[in-house]
Amino acid sequence: MGYRIAVVGATGNVGREMLSILDERGFPVDEIVALASRKSQGTEVSFGEQTLKTKDLEQFDFTGWDIALFAVGSEATKVHAPRAAKAGCIVIDNSSLYRYDADVPLIVPEVNPDAIHGYAKKNIIANPNCSTAQMVVALKPLHDRARIKRVVVSTYQSVSGSGKEAIDELWDQTKSIYNPVDNYQAKVYPKQIAFNVIPHIDSFMDSGDTREEWKMVVETKKIVDPKIKVTATCVRVPVFVGHSESINIETEDFLDEDEARDILREAPGVMVVDKREDGGYITPIESVGEFATYVSRIRQDVTIENGLNFWCVSDNLRKGAALNAVQIAELLGREVLKKG
C-alpha cells in the first residue's frame, strides 16, 4: 500500500521540486494530484514518467487523501490548509503561516524527528524557512556535543528564494546591463540585484531586523534549543539557486576544529568538503540539485574561548523547501501512518 498525495502549488518552483523529489526518492505513492490556482488549472507538470494536469485548488476535496504538501503563500494556505486538515489529510506547509504556532510542530527530520507526533493537534506540520533549515542541520550535532550558546550568521541567499519572477529579474537585468538598449526596471527587489548584493530580505521590523532575520532566530530556538542566542544578517545575492551562510558559534564546552569536522562528517544530511587548498570548499552552484547540506571552512575562532567558524551551503529549493517537506512526509509515514 502507498499514499494518496496532493501537491498544492505544483506549478511553482518549490511545487515542481516536490514532485521531482517524491519521484527521485521513491516515495510510496498510490495516487498523486497536482493542485494550483484556477488561473493555472490545466498546466502540465511532471512526476517521473507521468505528466499531470493541474486541478483547481479551490474546488478540490481533500477527503480520503493522506498527505498534502503545500507550496503556496500564506494567504492561500490560511484558507485551504485548515480545510485539508479538517478533511483528515495531514498538511505539510512550506509557508511561514504556522511555523510559530505552539500547536504546530516545526520539523527538520535530521534535527528534531520526535516532534512529528505533535502533528495531531491541528493535523498540520510546518516546514522551516530555507535559511534556517540548512543551518540547523549543521548546528544540531555540534550542539549535542558542546552546547551552543550563541550563533552569529550572515547569509548569502539566492534569488530563487523569492520565486520565479526574481529569477527572471536577475536574468533580464544582467542582459540589460550588457545591452544598454534594454532599460530594465527592477520589479521584485528595491534595488538592482544584477552585479550587486542587497542586505534586505522580507520586511523591516521595529527592531531594525528584517523578518527573515527574525525567522532564523525564532525558528532555531524552536527546532534546536530555546536557550540558543542567535543574531542574523540576511543578504540577497545575484545567484540563481543555492543559499550560503557564514556561521560563527560559541559553545559552552571547548570543541576542537578537528573533532567538529569528524562530528559533521558523521552527521545525517551533512557533507563535509573542507580542504585547505584552492577550490577545497563548496560554492552554491555545486549544491544545485543535491540533497546534502554542505559544510566547508571549519576553523577555530581564536577571539573567544570556545568558538568555531564554518561555511554552510545548500540548494534552497531542496533542503530549504521541497526536500525537507518530503523528508517530513517520509518520517510521518515511518512513525505514524505506516502504509508504505
Side-chain angles (χ1 to χ4, degrees), residues 6-221:
V7 176
V8 180
T11 59
N13 289 338
V14 174
R16 290 176 187 271
E17 283 291 329
M18 285 173 170
L19 288 165
S20 176
I21 292 168
L22 285 165
D23 176 63
E24 286 177 39
R25 293 175 72 88
F27 190 87
V29 172
D30 254 6
E31 187 177 353
I32 191 161
V33 63
L35 302 175
S37 63
R38 188 166 296 168
K39 68 178 182 180
S40 299
Q41 186 176 352
T43 302
E44 293 185 344
V45 293
S46 297
F47 174 64
E49 298 298 316
Q50 299 179 49
T51 299
L52 308 176
K53 283 193 174 182
T54 55
K55 296 183 178 181
D56 182 5
L57 170 61
E58 288 189 20
Q59 301 300 318
F60 187 74
D61 182 0
F62 287 94
T63 304
W65 292 79
D66 296 302
I67 300 170
L69 302 175
F70 269 65
V72 291
S74 292
E75 289 305 311
T77 301
K78 189 184 297 183
V79 174
H80 298 290
R83 190 167 67 81
K86 189 176 180 181
C89 178
I90 300 171
V91 171
I92 299 172
D93 176 35
N94 195 58
S95 81
S96 62
L97 183 64
Y98 292 104
R99 290 177 189 156
Y100 319 111
D101 186 325
D103 290 334
V104 174
L106 179 65
I107 294 178
V108 175
E110 299 94 333
V111 179
N112 62 335
D114 292 343
I116 194 73
H117 298 284
Y119 86 93
K121 290 180 181 177
K122 287 193 174 179
N123 235 22
I124 297 172
I125 301 165
N127 212 22
N129 189 44
C130 49
S131 49
T132 306
Q134 67 186 70
M135 182 172 76
V136 298
V137 169
L139 292 183
K140 181 58 162 62
L142 302 177
H143 183 63
D144 286 347
R145 160 62 180 82
R147 311 307 296 172
I148 295 171
K149 292 164 48 178
R150 182 170 184 256
V151 178
V152 181
V153 55
S154 297
T155 72
Y156 307 74
Q157 294 177 232
S158 69
V159 297
S160 57
S162 301
K164 184 181 181 301
E165 295 80 7
I167 294 173
D168 293 341
E169 179 150 302
L170 174 56
W171 175 251
D172 291 337
Q173 245 177 35
T174 302
K175 287 191 298 181
S176 73
I177 288 167
Y178 282 104
N179 183 8
V181 176
D182 296 339
N183 185 22
Y184 183 85
Q185 298 298 314
K187 298 170 188 171
V188 177
Y189 296 116
K191 297 203 175 191
Q192 176 184 313
I193 185 61
F195 305 100
N196 198 18
V197 298
I198 303 173
H200 170 199
I201 300 178
D202 211 328
S203 56
F204 277 97
M205 305 174 74
D206 291 342
S207 64
D209 291 319
T210 63
R211 190 165 171 80
E212 184 82 358
E213 291 155 355
W214 175 84
K215 288 174 190 173
M216 293 194 75
V217 174
V218 177
E219 292 175 20
T220 301
K221 288 175 176 289

